[in-house]
Amino acid sequence: MRPLDWVVMFCWLVSIVSYGLWRGRRSGTVNEFLLAGKTMPWYAMGLSIMATQASAITFISTTGQSYVDGMRFVQFYFGLPVAMVLISATAVPIFHRANVYTAYEYLEKRFDAKTRALVSIIFLIQRGLAAGLAIYAPAVVLSVVLGWSDQVTTVLMGTLVVIYTATGGIKAVTWADVQQMMVIFAALILALVVAVNLMPPGVSFRDAVTLAGAMGKLRAVNTHFDWNDRYNLWSGLIGGAFLALSYFGCDQSQVQRYLTGKSIAQSRLSLLFNAMAKIPMQAFILFIGAMVFVFFLFERPPVIFHPVELGRAQSRPDFQSVEHRYQAAFDSRKQAATALLADRNDPAKLDRLRQTQQDFDGARGEAIRFVERTRGTAAFNDTNYIFLNFVTHYMPAGVVGLIVAVIFSAAMSAVSGEINSLATVTVIDVYKRHFQKSGSDRHYLWASRLATVFWGIYAMVFAGYGKGFGALIEAVNMIGSLFYGGMLGVFVLAFFFKNVTANGAFFGVFAGEAAIFAANRFTGISFLWYNVIGALVVIATGVIISAFAPAKNPKSAA
Amino acid sequence: MSEPGSLPPKIMEDGPPPFLGSWKRVYAVVLLYLAVVIFGLYLFSSFYSL
């Protein structure tokens, strides 16, 4: 980082906290603190929903994933528009008319207190875990760029987030997200322009796209169905839709966003805006990763992208042979890429390039196994460091600071949304429901602020466990998939199955969670299908139990 | 200031979208857009797969 990068990064971080505090300065009641007084326009909610989901992980991990695996990860988002339409048509009007602070409050109106408590606890567990991972991501950035320890960077990030979230509530969170998303869009475009401009002389944008396509990095759609394949058209459309239904329909961190809308129509528009913008945005980020891959066809990338592990490996004499093989593989691949561009219709040259890529991957795999062997690590993964390495080594002064600042702010927006929703559920569904039912508005306002501080500290502590996960974005989605299926199932029962009883829903959730954990433990089914399995088991169990033990006075949906 | 520990205020009733006349048409456009995007990405993948 050069002086200009530091200035850009510092100014951005100060401005984001200041803007959040200024926007949230009038959050003097519980309603304003948790729901922004229901005054939010659709574009603010829409950008905030997008910002909460597009955390720092999006930039660190998705670009790296594209470098390694191509653009096929985009299929994960194919079900999202379907889910948004279904939620707009069903959940949005139901939650608004139920006049609730949290989605789980509605479950008590429809079923009973124990179902509400169970789902609230599931949310607190899974969202608490995700908040820890989301705060760990910028710790990765800082530890690489600044050479600080993860603990220091985690506390710094967490403290900044807690300051504006605990002070201004959801208004501060939402408007800070709007500001952040605008700069994120600008930085993404800038990153692609710079990446393409950094290509060596003689390699045009069209050449770069051709090479990326030849190496399979632009293969975005796979129509072949396979239960065990994480990303194909069908897992994306069906599994992705179930995951998005769970996330946007049952997860308080998202539901709370569109509950702040000044009308049902504004809330719907915010979701439909996401439905249309999300896939192009993710495809764009993945495309940047593919361009970084092409850039590294001509510029030698480090054999290990994790700088600390690379330095450690290079200090050992027996690593030299690994590096020699890697250098030779890189030279051969570079020659083959240049030869293909000279005559792109020659199949022999294409085969040659693919062969050299296999040799290159083999050499890098040898280096990774070296790290695993010498560190005693079971599965070493440096995917999250690929884009960071490119940014910090090749981007011009100022742009590095901007992109690092964007990664910071993306993480801050995700974490602020998460601790804000965790605090809301803690106060509304746990504290107010079970411990202090008749406090003053001021009492609950301060309880919400204290709960925000508590969850901020919790996230910082849990962030210490982030190192144990691989590519961070998959880890977050994996954790969500373990719990979301059960939550989705109980909301489907609440919305569409009028005869299902409270006991049917309550025990259905247990059955759904058991099915998900069994699928995770005993089968190789991709995690995107866990939501489908969990939701279907909850629904089936709830219907069967309710049929055999119907309620005397069943409640109906709002 | 709202009442101590009060529920959030009621909001206005469901209204039509600002364009296309009905929500069903808006939903149909979103799903059509999804189909176009997936097909576009499929064509993009195929075109650049040497």
Side-chain angles (χ1 to χ4, degrees):
Chain A
M1 293 262 286
R2 286 149 285 190
L4 183 59
D5 296 319
W6 285 103
V7 171
V8 170
M9 193 184 82
F10 180 76
C11 289
W12 176 247
L13 290 177
V14 169
S15 79
I16 208 74
V17 175
S18 308
Y19 185 68
L21 287 172
W22 180 70
R23 277 290 193 170
R25 66 194 183 283
R26 290 187 188 131
S27 297
T29 67
V30 173
N31 181 36
E32 285 167 349
F33 189 82
L34 300 182
L35 292 182
K38 295 213 169 196
T39 57
M40 285 293 165
W42 69 268
Y43 60 89
M45 288 184 285
L47 289 169
S48 181
I49 286 168
M50 191 174 267
T52 302
Q53 197 192 17
S55 66
I57 292 166
T58 302
F59 301 94
I60 297 170
S61 192
T62 307
T63 41
Q65 198 158 2
S66 178
Y67 178 96
V68 174
D69 201 25
M71 286 181 65
R72 70 193 193 105
F73 178 63
V74 75
Q75 296 169 113
F76 174 78
Y77 295 96
F78 283 175
L80 188 141
V82 178
M84 291 305 200
V85 166
L86 291 172
I87 292 167
S88 294
T90 57
V92 170
I94 288 175
F95 285 144
H96 268 297
R97 287 181 190 133
N99 204 26
V100 291
Y101 280 105
T102 74
Y104 317 124
E105 236 182 312
Y106 169 76
L107 288 178
E108 181 167 1
K109 293 188 178 205
R110 171 64 182 85
F111 295 124
D112 61 3
K114 70 176 184 297
T115 308
R116 173 184 177 181
L118 175 64
V119 179
S120 301
I121 289 167
I122 289 174
F123 168 77
L124 291 173
I125 292 170
Q126 68 94 0
R127 189 44 60 190
L129 294 173
L133 276 180
I135 211 167
Y136 171 68
V140 172
V141 177
L142 279 178
S143 64
V144 170
V145 176
L146 309 176
W148 296 352
S149 75
D150 291 349
Q151 287 88 348
V152 172
T153 55
T154 298
V155 170
L156 178 69
M157 277 293 308
T159 305
L160 286 175
V161 170
V162 166
I163 286 172
Y164 76 86
T165 308
T167 308
I170 198 161
K171 258 192 216 173
V173 171
T174 303
W175 286 111
D177 287 350
V178 172
Q179 188 190 13
Q180 288 165 4
M181 280 311 292
M182 303 304 274
V183 176
I184 285 169
F185 285 139
L188 283 175
I189 293 167
L190 195 61
L192 180 65
V193 169
V194 172
V196 172
N197 278 333
L198 284 172
M199 296 292 171
V203 179
S204 66
F205 177 64
R206 187 162 168 263
D207 293 336
V209 177
T210 301
L211 282 170
M215 303 307 288
K217 301 299 178 188
L218 302 184
R219 203 169 293 141
V221 181
N222 175 16
T223 55
H224 178 70
F225 180 84
D226 182 353
W227 281 103
N228 301 320
D229 182 15
R230 271 185 188 176
Y231 308 117
N232 57 56
L233 176 64
W234 311 111
S235 69
L237 270 176
I238 302 170
F242 271 76
L243 181 57
L245 277 172
S246 315
Y247 184 53
F248 293 99
C250 318
D251 189 310
Q252 179 64 16
S253 71
Q254 297 302 316
V255 173
Q256 197 168 348
R257 291 290 171 288
Y258 54 80
L259 281 179
T260 64
K262 54 185 168 189
S263 71
I264 293 173
Q266 293 285 310
S267 296
R268 280 182 173 141
L269 288 175
S270 71
L271 291 176
L272 297 176
F273 165 73
N274 269 272
M276 301 189 82
K278 188 68 182 174
I279 296 174
M281 180 182 157
Q282 289 298 329
F284 192 77
I285 295 170
L286 287 162
F287 186 73
I288 293 172
M291 289 299 101
V292 171
F293 170 83
V294 175
F295 172 78
F296 279 132
L297 284 177
F298 300 99
E299 183 76 26
R300 183 184 179 275
V303 62
I304 300 289
F305 283 96
H306 193 302
V308 177
E309 294 299 342
L310 177 64
R312 198 171 279 138
Q314 285 175 329
S315 68
R316 297 176 66 107
D318 47 346
F319 191 68
Q320 283 185 358
S321 62
V322 178
E323 287 220 281
H324 286 317
R325 185 188 162 195
Y326 180 75
Q327 179 66 49
F330 169 76
D331 291 338
S332 299
R333 190 181 68 161
K334 184 178 175 181
Q335 283 176 4
T338 308
L340 181 68
L341 285 181
D343 185 4
R344 61 190 72 189
N345 294 319
D346 185 347
K349 286 177 177 165
L350 178 61
D351 288 343
R352 172 69 186 146
L353 177 58
R354 287 177 178 161
Q355 179 60 48
T356 58
Q357 179 64 41
Q358 283 182 9
D359 296 341
F360 183 83
D361 290 339
R364 204 170 110 74
E366 191 181 336
I368 286 172
R369 285 190 295 279
F370 183 93
V371 172
E372 289 173 352
R373 195 169 58 248
T374 53
R375 295 283 293 158
T377 311
F380 174 71
N381 188 333
D382 63 351
T383 308
N384 299 322
Y385 294 85
I386 294 172
F387 186 60
L388 287 175
N389 180 280
F390 172 73
V391 167
T392 54
H393 285 84
Y394 300 101
M395 290 278 184
V399 178
V400 177
L402 179 67
I403 291 180
V404 171
V406 161
I407 293 170
F408 272 130
S409 60
M412 287 164 70
S413 66
V415 175
S416 63
E418 285 170 353
I419 64 173
N420 180 257
S421 61
L422 285 163
T424 304
V425 172
T426 304
V427 171
I428 300 295
D429 293 310
V430 180
Y431 181 66
K432 187 179 173 196
R433 176 63 184 83
H434 297 286
F435 296 100
Q436 179 60 272
K437 294 185 179 178
S438 56
S440 66
D441 193 81
R442 186 175 165 77
H443 176 84
Y444 292 122
L445 176 65
W446 278 99
S448 301
R449 289 193 163 127
L450 284 175
T452 304
V453 174
F454 166 80
W455 282 109
I457 293 170
Y458 169 88
M460 288 184 243
V461 171
F462 183 76
Y465 294 94
K467 290 174 188 172
F469 294 88
L472 290 171
I473 194 163
E474 288 194 8
V476 171
N477 289 327
M478 180 82 82
I479 287 172
S481 293
L482 289 176
F483 295 100
Y484 276 148
M487 290 168 74
L488 176 62
V490 77
F491 276 97
V492 170
L493 286 175
F495 292 163
F496 302 112
F497 292 81
K498 292 183 179 175
N499 292 326
V500 167
T501 63
N503 280 340
F506 183 76
F507 291 110
V509 174
F510 280 107
E513 283 303 318
I516 291 169
F517 278 90
N520 177 258
R521 178 72 180 82
F522 301 112
T523 74
I525 293 174
S526 167
F527 72 90
L528 269 177
W529 293 103
Y530 294 169
N531 300 285
V532 185
I533 294 167
L536 292 178
V537 170
V538 172
I539 293 166
T541 309
V543 169
I544 292 168
I545 290 176
S546 303
F548 284 98
K552 288 174 184 170
N553 298 303
K555 295 180 183 179
S556 61
Chain B
M1 296 281 284
S2 57
E3 292 298 312
S6 63
L7 287 171
K10 293 275 185 189
I11 63 162
M12 65 183 76
E13 277 303 296
D14 203 352
F19 40 78
L20 297 175
S22 76
W23 285 107
K24 282 184 181 173
R25 284 187 201 151
V26 175
Y27 299 150
V29 167
V30 171
L31 295 177
L32 185 67
Y33 167 82
L34 170 65
V36 169
V37 167
I38 291 174
F39 188 63
L41 284 169
Y42 180 77
L43 287 181
F44 176 74
S45 302
S46 305
F47 185 78
Y48 284 104
S49 295
L50 293 182

